[in-house]
Amino acid sequence: MIRKTIIPLFLVLAINASAQTTYTPTTENLRSREWFQDAKFGMFIHWGVYSVLGDGEWVMNTQFIDKQTYQKLPSFFNPVNYDPKEWVALVKAAGMKYITITSKHHDGFAMFDSKLTDWDIADRTPYKKDILKMLADECRKEGIKLFFYHSHLDWYQENYFPRGRTGQTTGRPEAGDWYKYLDYMDGQLTELLTNYGEIGGIWFDGFWDKKDADWRLEKTYKLIHSLQPATLISNNHHQAVIPGEDFQAFEKDLPGHNTTGFSEESEVGELPFETCETMNNSWGFNLQDKRYKSTKDLIQYMVKAAGYNSNFLLNVGPMPDGRIQPEFVSTLKEMGKWMEKNGETIYGTRGGPVAPKSWGVTTIKNNKIYVHVLNAEDSNLLIPDFGKKVKSITSFSSSVKLKFKQDAYGITIVIPNEIIDKTDTIFVIEI
Ligand code: H79
């Protein structure tokens, strides 16, 4: 006789809650986090067979393209001008320290030679070569860390079922085995963490497509950390961090802000931060998108991010032939020139003792506080008291010592007109 056991509801809840165990990062992992926070500035790369259509990485969904039709795309993906040396040289010229590239976006297409599917670059494109392998080799040579963006969400696999909020029009059957899909994803992650050397991090995205699904995160996170303990895990789920994650991602917003509308539940946590942003208004290559952000805007965003104790991951969507469009290249090089001069006030710093203000932000390294005035509102600058005795204040660009007054309210300095820089006027406070 089969006896049904009735489990009281409170017990079910307790079991569920205990599935989210705490996580103790390894020493290697903590060291990576330090490295990551010191690095501050990275390049995001969205590249896939969607780039061919020049209409962004969501094109399969936005143009309602079914799988059979989409399958024509890989045969047009032949990036004969792809030169990882050029990409990595540009990354360095921009002052960036790491790359986060799409190993798989929502279209499910693997930009590497996966043995678990033929829906990949080696099996479906005339190019055939494993672009991630080529990039990994060059990054290693040049001391640039490589991270993989790996989409949780998949518009191609039948086992991504039941489907979520997106990918409803790709013509898949009304059946599939969810746990087989998760096994497949873990398998691809194993490939990525086994065959490409040291990987800086795995950057997940797409969880929000099926917020209430059993994503088996604990198992996947454990797998990643067991394959490479130093690898940092981040998940752009737009929620508070989940045990097993190593830094918190914010999309198109500074920590604690929600201009996009999807950071509503992104409660700011205790882990390192990273915010990502586009150079125009697209992630994947978009032929018609000319809404380029200026060099000044992007530098100011990076500086603000640093003031918020956050990294800045700036995106490019390479063209289908493998080149990065010239508009991006010139801006990135200008950012790099700025970083060459002012990098001391960004790299290796943490968010400063004064919370971000309408006039700008502060960063800190050892006994130096860098005051970044992004928007000089007045020739008098009042820096609110932060409880430390100030020894001296100098202009970072001219090394001229400035007069200041320190009292219970804070520190007042008069900004000499001739040192005002419209992008960022920097002062160094020694404590
Ligand atoms: O990879 C880039 C984008 O393709 C991906 N993340 C960056 C890094 C991205 N996908 N979607 N979004 C960004 C915007 C999210 C929109 C959402 Fe929604 C609003 C997700 C949930 C609510 C759109 C509407 C998708 C589901 C409902």
Side-chain angles (χ1 to χ4, degrees), residues 20 33 55 64 76 79 124 128 143 195 203 219 227 253 265 272 326 339 380 397:
Q20 307 245 312
R33 293 184 192 183
D55 193 17
F64 313 107
F76 311 137
R124 296 280 181 131
K128 290 195 164 54
N195 304 330
W203 207 106
K219 184 170 182 209
L227 289 167
D253 257 318
E265 298 165 22
M339 276 304 242
N380 279 303
S397 61

Side-chain angles (χ1 to χ4, degrees), residues 44 46 57-58 105-106 149 165-166 203 205 208 236 238 251 262 276 283:
F44 211 173
H46 277 73
E57 77 290 353
W58 269 64
H105 206 269
H106 308 334
Y149 168 112
R165 302 159 84 166
T166 67
W203 207 106
D205 197 6
W208 37 260
N236 187 31
H238 308 154
E251 180 173 337
F262 37 76
C276 56
W283 300 101

